[in-house]
């Protein structure tokens, strides 16, 4: 493999922080005047290198196991690395590609193509703070619903007319660990139960997924998702945009409908999307995943879901008919 250091221009200086500085090779190709003050920098990284120009701001990097990026190819060209050497470097790099790298690359390409992005969220209500055991009304409620303790549920302690006077817990909606919206769940029995500040195409729970999980459990409600570590489509159907986002996770999908009239619609949509459906034979009073987790525990519920997982269209149809009878 080529040693990039051999292609750097003369008059190089090593800095204590590990950068090699030299006259940048990029600027004149980017509409800036050529660098004469050693403002190009290259630093070796764990499995490659990183280039930064402090004159025209060009950056490029290389990681063994990854495709050479367009920017890196250009940079190498400007350094005078022959075209065939660049191609060799790319091939050599791909030989070191790990399965993880391949999945990540596909993921990135997919996200870019499907433009999964969300805008700025509406602000949280005033005085929002994270629920701790000091606030037993809220703390006990979210524990009872099987929400993991490390999930930041919020509330507004001053419910004195600044905002709602009804007690509520607020669940932040995140995507790639950025807040993009929220829902408030009121704790009295008045209507509405929820106020949602979501965005079209959003699916709750993508940040609850672990990279080594093979399956993703798709549920209807926020508390279903929180209690099982699944996703919530927040409705009894899945929009096309939501389906794209769920597919972008690159996992096997198992849809668990609520065991009520509305849930039947979700089953049809899951079949249409070619996803597996799971309708565990829970006691009649267990209507959804959250009920099951509260009564049976998370592990037992997950086992029930996986055991009842069905991929055959005909078998799903049979299960659906049984569910129809059960809920009638
Ligand atoms: Zn430059």
């Amino acid at each position: 493999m080529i040693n990039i250091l051999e292609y750097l221009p003369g008059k190089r200086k090593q800095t204590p922080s590990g950068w090699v500085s030299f006259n940048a090779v990029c600027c004149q190709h980017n509409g800036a005047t050529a660098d004469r003050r050693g403002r190009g920098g290259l630093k070796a990284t764990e499995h490659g290198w990183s280039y930064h120009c402090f004159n025209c701001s060009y950056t490029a990097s290389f990681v063994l196991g990854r495709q050479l990026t367009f920017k890196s190819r250009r940079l190498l060209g400007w350094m005078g690395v022959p075209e065939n050497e660049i191609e060799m470097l790319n091939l050599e790099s791909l030989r070191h590609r790990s399965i993880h790298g391949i999945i990540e690359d596909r993921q990135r390409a997919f996200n870019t193509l499907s433009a999964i992005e969300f805008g700025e969220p509406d602000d949280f209500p005033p005085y929002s703070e994270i629920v701790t055991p000091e606030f037993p009304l809220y703390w006990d409620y979210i524990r009872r619903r099987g929400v993991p303790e490390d999930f930041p549920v919020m509330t507004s302690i001053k419910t004195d007319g600044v905002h709602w006077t009804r007690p509520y817990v607020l669940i932040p909606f995140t995507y790639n660990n950025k807040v993009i919206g929220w829902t408030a769940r009121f704790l009295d029995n008045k209507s509405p139960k929820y106020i949602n500040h979501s965005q079209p195409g959003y699916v709750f729970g993508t940040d609850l997924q672990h990279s080594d999980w093979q399956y993703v459990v798709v549920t209807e409600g926020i508390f279903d998702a929180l209690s099982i570590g699944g996703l919530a489509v927040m409705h009894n159907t899945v929009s096309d945009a939501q389906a794209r986002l769920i597919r972008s996770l690159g996992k096997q999908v198992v849809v668990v409908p609520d065991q009520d009239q509305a849930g039947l619609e979700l089953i049809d949509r899951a079949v249409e999307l070619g996803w597996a459906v799971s309708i565990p034979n829970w006691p009649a009073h267990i209507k959804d995943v959250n009920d099951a987790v509260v009564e049976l525990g998370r592990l037992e519920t997950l086992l029930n879901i996986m055991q009842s997982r069905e991929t055959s269209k005909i078998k799903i149809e049979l299960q659906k008919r049984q569910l129809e009878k059960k809920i009638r």
Side-chain angles (χ1 to χ4, degrees):
M1 190 168 324
I2 66 157
N3 178 2
I4 187 167
L5 294 172
E6 288 170 15
Y7 286 94
L8 297 182
K11 286 216 300 188
R12 298 191 286 259
K13 266 202 317 224
Q14 179 89 40
T15 73
S17 53
W19 288 89
V20 181
S21 67
F22 46 87
N23 283 335
V25 296
C26 43
C27 318
Q28 61 273 40
H29 304 283
N30 298 315
T33 49
D35 175 33
R36 304 252 176 274
R37 294 185 295 150
R39 306 195 68 191
L42 188 103
K43 189 181 189 173
T45 57
E46 198 181 348
H47 299 291
W49 46 259
S50 179
Y51 175 88
H52 190 105
C53 173
F54 294 92
N55 189 38
C56 77
S57 301
Y58 193 83
T59 58
S61 61
F62 170 70
V63 178
L64 188 67
R66 289 260 168 84
Q67 288 260 20
L68 263 181
T69 63
F70 177 67
K71 290 180 91 178
S72 300
R73 282 171 183 273
R74 289 178 78 201
L75 179 72
L76 292 170
W78 298 332
M79 283 182 179
V81 181
E83 196 55 45
N84 64 322
E85 294 270 354
I86 295 175
E87 216 36 66
M88 289 279 285
L89 175 65
N90 193 41
L91 288 174
E92 176 68 22
S93 179
L94 293 182
R95 224 169 279 146
H96 291 267
R97 216 143 99 108
S98 65
I99 187 72
H100 211 72
I102 294 171
I103 292 167
E104 271 182 19
D105 281 352
R106 282 182 52 185
Q107 182 67 64
R108 204 163 310 135
F110 189 93
N111 281 355
T112 310
L113 289 172
S114 49
I116 299 171
E117 280 171 63
F118 297 101
E120 285 298 304
D122 295 335
D123 281 343
F124 288 152
Y127 305 113
S128 288
E129 46 192 301
I130 291 181
V131 174
T132 63
E134 286 167 67
F135 308 111
L137 171 65
Y138 310 102
W139 178 262
D140 293 349
Y141 175 78
I142 55 183
R143 293 289 78 80
R144 270 202 309 280
R145 301 286 313 255
V147 176
E149 289 203 5
D150 60 355
F151 187 87
V153 176
M154 305 178 80
T155 192
S156 174
I157 304 304
K158 282 195 183 179
T159 47
D160 58 357
V162 179
H163 206 69
W164 303 303
T165 48
R166 304 170 57 195
Y168 67 92
V169 289
L170 181 149
I171 310 291
F173 289 170
T174 66
Y175 181 69
N176 287 340
N177 297 308
K178 260 180 56 193
V179 175
I180 70 100
W182 49 271
T183 188
R185 200 316 181 163
F186 292 102
L187 305 189
D188 52 18
N189 288 320
K190 293 177 195 150
S191 172
K193 252 203 253 183
Y194 286 93
I195 288 185
N196 284 319
H197 285 243
S198 191
Q199 298 191 35
Y202 180 65
V203 176
F204 176 80
T206 53
D207 291 333
L208 301 173
Q209 307 309 304
H210 292 198
S211 58
D212 57 341
W213 290 354
Q214 198 185 342
Y215 293 92
V216 62
V217 176
V218 174
T219 65
E220 292 184 35
I222 300 295
F223 287 98
D224 299 325
L226 276 171
S227 57
I228 202 81
L231 303 179
V233 289
M234 298 180 275
H235 200 52
N236 64 337
T237 188
V238 183
S239 72
D240 290 343
Q242 286 182 314
R244 278 198 296 276
L245 194 150
I246 293 168
R247 286 209 177 96
S248 77
L249 300 174
K251 295 181 191 289
Q252 296 201 48
V253 181
V254 189
V255 177
V256 189
D258 282 1
Q259 302 203 350
D260 59 16
Q261 199 61 37
L264 300 172
E265 205 175 305
L266 184 61
I267 299 173
D268 294 338
R269 180 60 171 150
V271 169
E272 197 177 290
L273 290 164
W275 290 343
V277 173
S278 174
I279 309 172
N281 190 21
W282 287 319
H285 65 277
I286 294 183
K287 296 290 180 201
D288 58 28
V289 169
N290 190 235
D291 288 350
V293 172
V294 168
E295 186 158 327
L296 312 168
R298 180 170 165 146
L299 187 62
E300 173 85 21
T301 303
L302 206 50
L303 285 172
N304 293 165
I305 291 171
M306 294 320 287
Q307 279 158 0
S308 306
R309 181 177 159 270
E310 205 53 80
T311 51
S312 137
K313 226 172 148 167
I314 297 165
K315 287 186 182 162
I316 294 172
E317 195 55 44
L318 283 172
Q319 298 258 321
K320 184 186 158 194
R321 265 181 243 156
Q322 277 170 5
L323 177 63
E324 272 174 313
K325 271 188 221 148
K326 185 173 158 186
I327 61 181
R328 204 179 288 150

